[in-house]
Amino acid sequence: LSKLQRVLTVPTAPYPDQRPSTNGLRKKVYVFQSRRNYLHNFIQSVFSSIDLRDRQGSTMVVGGDGRFFNRTATQVIVQMAAANGVGRLIIGHHGIMSTPAVSCMIRKCKAIGGIVLTASHNPGGPDGDFGIKFNTANGGPANEAVTNKIFQISRTIEEFATCPGLQVDLTTMGKQTFDLENKFKPFTVEIVDSVESYANMLRNIFDFAALKELLSGKNHFKIRLDALHGAVGPYVRRILCVELGCPASSAINCVPKEDFGGQHPDPNPIYATDLVDSMRDGQYDFGAAFDADGDQNMILGKHGFFVTPSDSVAVIADNIFCIPYFQHAGVRGFARTMPTSAALDRVAKATKIELYETPTAWKFFGNLMDAGMLSLCGEESFGTGGDHIREKDGLWAVLAWLSILATRKKSVEDLVKDHWLKYGRNYFTRYDYENVDIDAACEMMEDLEITITDKTFVRQRFAVEDKIYQVEKADSFEYADPVDGTISRNQGLRIIFSDGSRIIYRLSGTSFDGATVQIYLDSYEKEHVFGDAQVMLAPLATIALKISQLHHRTGRTGPSVII
């Protein structure tokens, strides 16, 4: 007879700082390690936010990006799930499962939700970051009503329930059952192959035979994929190398590491340097990198030709019927986050497909998808996805691109340049000013809002060199959700010029070190499509800094990061 597991109720005291964003609760690892019951409090708040009747005997999914503290946190979640009446947990082998695969698994198993242990592209290791995100039954990030409920519970929590003696073996696939005191039914943990269900979903979306021909047939495409030591490594190896026939040498940094090899698992030209360097000499036709949990992607062409995420979603939209899934399902709508360039808008207009402009969080896309209004979406911060799941999906984006390349029989660069010739080009960049004094940043944004919403601001003209920009519209962006009417205010300040160019200002996450001020520049050119992006954006950058007086107000002479 297996030993009965004791269910304990442990007294605790609340913490004031457990407000989850749409990306979950993210803190330094040492916060979770050193503050008594910090992890337990938050996990209990997540379970308590779910109605007991829904929780009792339910199925939940647990996965993570493999970062340091992932396994420790997984054991705690298992012990607390059992004590909180959950009937079955499905956990990725070794506790690792990419965020898109978690979304897929929640939907496939009709789970009531899932817990994703990730801090996305933030650094890992003992000195790095850790995060816990709750996804609901649709497979997507919890909406604000749910995250607010979790936060309110965390502020008044007095006790948590756990089975401290319950230990699960994350290394062995299969079912493990545990009998609990005073519980009629045993508690089940299933350690599953993290890749298989997700790979099966992709087989039903793309033409794997055509992709195999492209990647391993005669005159095959040479590709290079960099998992940055995150959760996607095993998916790249199994799907691209084993199944689609890419040589094993195509996949780099594909062994998940707790500290991501000491690197930033952030798929952009600044951090994915191994990939960028290996693409330069032209031996590879296509390159891609992924973040720690596999929802973000960066696309490169031969000689390191960089495809902006804004252009990437527009090119996919324009070639969407190269993907069998959309041939069968049709296309219901396109969407982008507000700061993302308007390249997608031009495709939507030409194809007469509805376009939605949302605040920066994937949950807004999920709402539209659940209502059957949206098929393809993207954001400038390296996220692209479809309505097959409710998260952005890096590997899906790569297979979408490869499907288009297989059909169009062109290089990445030619495909993008053809797109610019057809629609014009949205030159795009983002300036991040990190760790700015919070008071200075907030005051600057308040004054900026007063300036741009003044009646006299509209129709003002700004001349830089030989270019004149006239303001057509300026506001603080707000979004009325077409599905449920919810209004999200203060989502960024935007200035839209008569030629379609835009300047966006946003105050991004604030941390112990200060605030991040982000300036997005989106300059539309109908004719001059082959210019240097930074040169073409220089006039707009000058105007953005002049209007905001950012350097004077923050004491900064330049951005921390330019993407």
Side-chain angles (χ1 to χ4, degrees), residues 422-465:
K422 182 175 174 184
Y423 291 106
R425 179 177 176 186
N426 284 78
Y427 289 93
F428 182 84
T429 194
R430 185 181 91 212
Y431 291 176
D432 288 0
Y433 293 81
E434 294 170 342
N435 306 332
V436 173
D437 177 78
I438 291 174
D439 293 337
C442 291
E443 280 174 27
M444 183 196 81
M445 292 294 283
E446 283 164 18
D447 290 349
L448 189 53
E449 184 168 355
I450 292 165
T451 301
I452 71 163
T453 53
D454 188 287
K455 283 192 196 68
T456 60
F457 188 73
V458 172
R459 283 201 270 292
Q460 267 195 42
R461 295 155 78 95
F462 294 89
V464 182
E465 293 149 21

Side-chain angles (χ1 to χ4, degrees), residues 290-444:
F290 309 94
D291 69 335
D293 64 320
D295 59 354
Q296 294 179 329
N297 74 95
M298 172 177 73
I299 304 292
L300 298 176
K302 204 168 192 153
H303 301 293
F305 178 86
F306 173 59
V307 183
T308 70
S310 300
D311 278 344
S312 178
V313 70
V315 170
I316 295 172
D318 198 39
N319 294 279
I320 198 158
F321 294 115
C322 296
I323 301 166
Y325 174 88
F326 295 110
Q327 295 169 17
H328 303 308
V331 179
R332 300 192 171 117
F334 296 140
R336 61 168 174 84
T337 57
M338 183 273 284
T340 302
S341 97
L344 182 62
D345 307 35
R346 300 180 198 290
V347 179
K349 193 175 175 190
T351 53
K352 296 186 169 55
I353 289 168
E354 190 74 40
L355 178 103
Y356 302 95
E357 183 180 26
T358 73
T360 53
W362 209 260
K363 62 187 178 189
F364 295 104
F365 294 148
N367 230 17
L368 293 165
M369 287 174 181
D370 286 347
M373 297 161 74
L374 176 60
S375 299
L376 173 75
C377 51
E379 58 184 12
E380 51 74 35
S381 52
F382 297 87
T384 325
D387 61 351
H388 58 296
I389 53 171
R390 295 295 177 267
E391 289 277 10
K392 50 200 160 201
D393 190 343
L395 206 50
W396 175 92
V398 164
L399 293 186
W401 264 91
L402 292 172
S403 300
I404 293 164
L405 295 168
T407 307
R408 295 285 306 275
K409 308 212 172 346
K410 285 186 172 173
S411 71
V412 172
E413 187 169 346
D414 287 347
L415 199 62
V416 173
K417 286 182 171 175
D418 283 358
H419 188 89
W420 294 339
L421 287 170
K422 182 175 174 184
Y423 291 106
R425 179 177 176 186
N426 284 78
Y427 289 93
F428 182 84
T429 194
R430 185 181 91 212
Y431 291 176
D432 288 0
Y433 293 81
E434 294 170 342
N435 306 332
V436 173
D437 177 78
I438 291 174
D439 293 337
C442 291
E443 280 174 27
M444 183 196 81

Side-chain angles (χ1 to χ4, degrees), residues 32 37-44 69 72-73 76 130 132:
F32 287 99
N37 300 331
Y38 193 83
L39 174 67
H40 295 76
N41 278 20
F42 187 70
I43 300 294
Q44 184 60 56
F69 201 62
T72 307
V76 170
F130 189 73
I132 307 172

Side-chain angles (χ1 to χ4, degrees), residues 44-88:
Q44 184 60 56
S45 302
V46 169
F47 286 131
S48 298
S49 74
I50 306 163
D51 193 294
L52 185 62
R53 285 165 305 193
D54 295 331
R55 208 163 68 213
Q56 214 68 42
S58 66
T59 295
M60 288 183 79
V61 179
V62 181
D65 60 18
R67 67 180 57 233
F68 182 80
F69 201 62
N70 194 88
R71 286 179 307 208
T72 307
T74 302
Q75 290 289 358
V76 170
I77 290 166
V78 171
Q79 292 167 350
M80 293 184 66
N84 277 280
V86 173
R88 175 172 74 140

